[in-house]
Amino acid sequence: MARALAHRRKPAKAAARAAATTREHAPAHALHLPELDRLIHERIRLGIVSALATNASLSFNDLKRILKTTDGNLSVHARKLEEAEYISCLKYFEARVPRTEYRLTAAGRRALSQYLNQMEEWIRVTREDK
């Protein structure tokens, strides 16, 4: 039993040493990079808010075509953005055909602007390293 416990402690000590070494060698500016908005950073969600930022509104089928994705994938990602109140969704019927239309909200526009600023900072820092 003592041997098993001693064996378990060694990896923890090794991991602690590795973490300390990594921190010592990390560039100072890496600690100052802005945190990216994980909600927008995902490819499909970034595509949705970007497409809506350049259009007053887009239908579900328009977004699906632009992003080259499936109904299910688009639905899941649009729902996450709706829950965060980054986009609004309007469902209606047009000649008995159901339609879904999306718009970027003011909060979504602010979040996208902040995300783009964060990405620009990452790019600036990356280019400074050259």
Side-chain angles (χ1 to χ4, degrees), residues 77-91:
H77 291 296
R79 177 73 43 114
K80 289 206 180 270
L81 292 169
E82 279 182 81
E83 289 169 358
E85 299 182 354
Y86 285 4
I87 65 173
S88 65
C89 174
L90 175 64
K91 293 182 182 264

Side-chain angles (χ1 to χ4, degrees), residues 59-66 71 74 99-100:
S59 72
F60 183 89
N61 288 331
D62 289 336
L63 282 170
K64 189 172 87 167
R65 181 181 43 78
I66 291 167
D71 288 1
L74 180 56
R99 301 285 184 203
T100 303

Side-chain angles (χ1 to χ4, degrees), residues 92-105:
Y92 60 96
F93 286 89
E94 187 176 276
R96 294 188 159 190
V97 176
R99 301 285 184 203
T100 303
E101 183 177 288
Y102 295 99
R103 293 180 186 270
L104 189 63
T105 64

Side-chain angles (χ1 to χ4, degrees), residues 9 12 18 25 27 42 52 58-59 67 72 79 86 106 115 118 120 129:
R9 285 187 212 129
H25 297 297
E42 202 289 327
L52 292 173
L58 289 170
S59 72
L67 301 172
R79 177 73 43 114
Y86 285 4
Y115 175 83
Q118 292 165 340
E120 286 172 351
D129 281 348

Side-chain angles (χ1 to χ4, degrees), residues 26-46:
H29 61 77
L31 302 174
H32 302 294
L33 287 172
E35 182 74 27
L36 296 175
D37 183 338
R38 303 312 277 165
L39 187 64
I40 292 180
H41 189 64
E42 202 289 327
R43 185 183 72 84
I44 295 294
R45 292 191 292 257
L46 179 58

